[in-house]
Amino acid sequence: MANTIFQTRSDASTATPRASFRSGSRCDGGGFTAVSFLLCMALGFVAPEWGLHRPWRQFYLGLTGFDLWSVVLGTAQSLIFGGYAGALLGTIFNVISRRFG
């Protein structure tokens, strides 16, 4: 125990962390929102009496109900909105890590 050497910073850890736009931000954000939308639509097909929740109809343009067109249109919009949010959050993370990290 007395021979333990503590290093505060190694050479490999001097680089600031960065969020990758291809793998981390756009794909993860778009995939998460698309899967969430598809799960909600699947629940709507199983239990149609519950109906679409108001946020889906409020933020996703063109949704009419539980039909094929709404599934395709909502999935496309989920990928776009989630990718935009992921790219925005990745950019904010990169700016903050460069400035303060």
Side-chain angles (χ1 to χ4, degrees):
M1 194 96 173
N3 292 334
T4 305
I5 298 173
F6 292 104
Q7 293 180 352
T8 58
R9 184 174 231 172
S10 68
D11 292 337
S13 68
T14 58
T16 59
R18 299 228 174 162
S20 171
F21 285 115
R22 287 190 184 144
S23 63
S25 56
R26 286 189 300 214
C27 295
D28 289 345
F32 176 74
T33 55
V35 168
S36 298
F37 177 77
L38 290 174
L39 287 174
C40 287
M41 288 299 278
L43 180 64
F45 284 123
V46 172
E49 65 273 1
W50 288 353
L52 273 174
H53 291 286
R54 200 157 100 174
W56 290 120
R57 288 191 176 179
Q58 183 178 4
F59 295 116
Y60 287 68
L61 305 172
L63 294 184
T64 57
F66 297 108
D67 55 351
L68 183 61
W69 175 248
S70 292
V71 171
V72 170
L73 186 62
T75 304
Q77 289 180 11
S78 294
L79 289 170
I80 291 168
F81 294 154
Y84 175 75
L88 182 68
L89 290 174
T91 302
I92 291 170
F93 176 79
N94 287 339
V95 168
I96 290 174
S97 69
R98 240 183 272 134
R99 183 166 293 187
F100 299 111

